[in-house]
Amino acid sequence: MRNTFGHIFTLTTFGESHGEAVGGVIDGMPAGIDIDMEFIQSELNRRRPGQSAITTSRQEADRVELLSGVFEGKTTGCPIGFMVRNTNQHSNDYENMRNLFRPSHADYTYFQKYGIRDHRGGGRSSARITISRCVGGAFAKLVLRQKGISIQAYTSQVGDIALDKDYSQYDLSLTETNAVRCPDLQKAAEMEALIAKVKGEGDTIGGIITCVIKGCPTGLGEPEFDKLHASLGQAMLSINAVKGFEYGDGFDSATMRGSQVNDVFCPTDSGITTTTNHSGGIQGGISNGQDIYFRVAFKPVATILTEQQTVDKEGNATTFTAHGRHDPCVLPRAVSVVEAMAAMTILDYILLRNAVIL
């Protein structure tokens, strides 16, 4: 099982949803970086369960404990070990799922691959494991903000309620002012009402998160198999419940002509730029200095609170009803995870570009 992300800046994660803790080891973190623990904790708080009426009611403080790699408030360049303890598991809620496979979960595939699975909350396949990603992303952001690089994700669609303008036409600072994390306050209210309605029906709903990276330098990415957009796509598709990734004009460009989507170069006092950004800041797999923007599609959460048909380990047909505390829509909490994966990817590629090959 591959549990490590990245090339030079790497994150190795461990833990299960209902185990003692989740955590990880960050390697390749530059030395001498000031560590802002309030910022790191605030990143975890954005992902934390129980933060609003439209998220899971599981109550976890999600306090991160640093175990190594930081001395007197600065990174030492050594591996950074950390963990977040699980304190509010309700493992009995999953006892009726011990011997059966839940629809659209990893139960069946994990069992087929390993011959054993942790049925409590999904074990290793649980979205709770994304805590480690948020910690890794927070450390990456501390480096990126020294380089003037910002990463902002937001909920741009829930069900059929979608923002209809380009990201540049929204005040993205409003993203954190509402429970849905949407910069359009009217749409945010509609989205929240829809999620609450779906939750009341014992069902779930999906949507889309948009992410914008500003200040990224030119030259990040490799020309063949490690294209920057390919690595961003891999990072996003590794997040629980993600079903799709597109950057720039994405699938819309399939219906257009070259004359409509070509980004024309032009000179400025500060250098060469483009008059448009249909490419999403990446051309030939390499960043071109424009804003990098992409969209990530999330499916509805697989755990629904209505009776479903399935089979047990012996292949016998049966029915079950899920218990426990679950998100009716993963998007509000997944915004921070999308940012974290983007931050680690960009920092990793900055370090790759700066690496000296002997």
Side-chain angles (χ1 to χ4, degrees):
M1 180 184 287
R2 178 166 165 78
N3 298 294
T4 300
F5 174 81
H7 299 85
I8 295 179
F9 182 90
T10 65
L11 170 69
T12 302
T13 71
F14 67 83
E16 295 83 32
S17 176
H18 286 224
E20 290 298 316
V22 297
V25 177
I26 300 167
D27 209 350
M29 180 74 178
I33 302 297
D34 291 326
I35 295 304
D36 184 344
M37 286 304 299
E38 288 189 6
F39 170 74
I40 294 172
Q41 187 59 52
S42 71
E43 292 293 278
L44 279 182
N45 292 345
R46 297 169 67 211
R47 197 223 70 94
R48 184 177 60 84
Q51 59 185 274
S52 76
I54 58 172
T55 63
T56 173
S57 60
R58 179 171 176 171
Q59 293 296 320
E60 294 278 5
D62 284 355
R63 306 299 299 184
V64 62
E65 303 174 35
L66 299 186
L67 307 177
S68 63
V70 176
F71 180 68
E72 295 183 342
K74 292 182 181 293
T75 56
T76 63
C78 297
I80 299 170
F82 65 89
M83 70 176 180
V84 175
R85 299 181 188 274
N86 295 325
T87 62
N88 192 230
Q89 312 96 306
H90 288 180
S91 298
N92 288 337
D93 288 342
Y94 297 87
E95 192 58 33
N96 68 325
M97 306 174 194
R98 176 185 289 272
N99 295 311
L100 55 80
F101 303 124
R102 296 168 296 170
S104 288
H105 285 75
D107 299 349
Y108 175 74
T109 51
Y110 266 55
F111 187 75
Q112 289 297 312
K113 182 175 178 66
Y114 300 106
I116 187 173
R117 70 180 177 91
D118 184 347
H119 68 282
R120 305 166 303 165
R124 184 69 175 156
S125 67
S126 169
R128 182 150 182 79
I129 308 307
T130 59
I131 286 174
S132 300
R133 300 174 183 227
C134 287
V135 176
F139 274 90
K141 281 184 177 182
L142 289 175
V143 181
L144 295 180
R145 71 184 185 184
Q146 291 189 4
K147 299 179 179 296
I149 301 171
S150 66
I151 299 175
Q152 175 71 68
Y154 61 92
T155 299
S156 55
Q157 182 170 341
V158 173
D160 59 358
I161 301 173
L163 302 190
D164 55 5
K165 300 176 184 176
D166 182 80
Y167 72 87
S168 61
Q169 299 183 52
Y170 293 101
D171 181 357
L172 300 187
S173 68
L174 296 176
T175 299
E176 294 294 321
T177 64
N178 57 82
V180 184
R181 294 195 163 91
C182 172
D184 184 319
L185 301 186
Q186 176 59 44
K187 292 286 188 180
E190 296 175 16
M191 292 174 180
E192 186 169 354
L194 176 58
I195 296 172
K197 179 178 181 294
V198 168
K199 179 181 180 181
E201 297 169 350
D203 213 337
T204 60
I205 196 165
I208 294 174
I209 289 175
T210 297
C211 186
V212 183
I213 305 172
K214 292 181 174 290
C216 190
T218 59
L220 301 186
E222 301 300 318
E224 186 61 15
F225 296 113
D226 280 328
K227 291 179 169 66
L228 182 58
H229 63 268
S231 292
L232 284 169
Q234 179 190 26
M236 298 308 143
L237 288 165
S238 74
I239 301 172
N240 308 59
V242 170
K243 287 295 186 180
F245 170 85
E246 64 175 0
Y247 73 103
D249 282 355
F251 284 96
D252 287 342
S253 61
T255 64
M256 298 179 184
R257 300 186 180 190
S259 57
Q260 295 175 293
V261 300
N262 282 353
D263 294 317
V264 176
F265 290 105
C266 63
T268 68
D269 292 339
S270 57
I272 297 173
T273 187
T274 56
T275 57
T276 55
N277 189 20
H278 298 288
S279 301
I282 302 171
Q283 293 171 327
I286 300 171
S287 61
N288 66 2
Q290 300 298 312
D291 291 349
I292 296 173
Y293 64 94
F294 57 84
R295 306 198 322 153
V296 186
F298 286 79
K299 71 171 184 174
V301 175
T303 300
I304 59 177
L305 303 182
T306 56
E307 186 177 79
Q308 298 182 80
Q309 294 183 334
T310 189
V311 298
D312 61 21
K313 289 182 180 178
E314 285 70 45
N316 300 311
T318 185
T319 61
F320 86 106
T321 301
H323 303 294
R325 303 156 297 175
H326 308 280
D327 287 289
C329 179
V330 73
L331 275 79
R333 296 173 59 211
V335 164
S336 60
V337 184
V338 167
E339 290 182 5
M341 296 307 295
M344 288 191 288
T345 301
I346 295 300
L347 177 56
D348 192 32
Y349 270 78
I350 288 174
L351 296 175
L352 277 170
R353 186 191 64 176
N354 296 339
V356 176
I357 301 177
L358 299 178

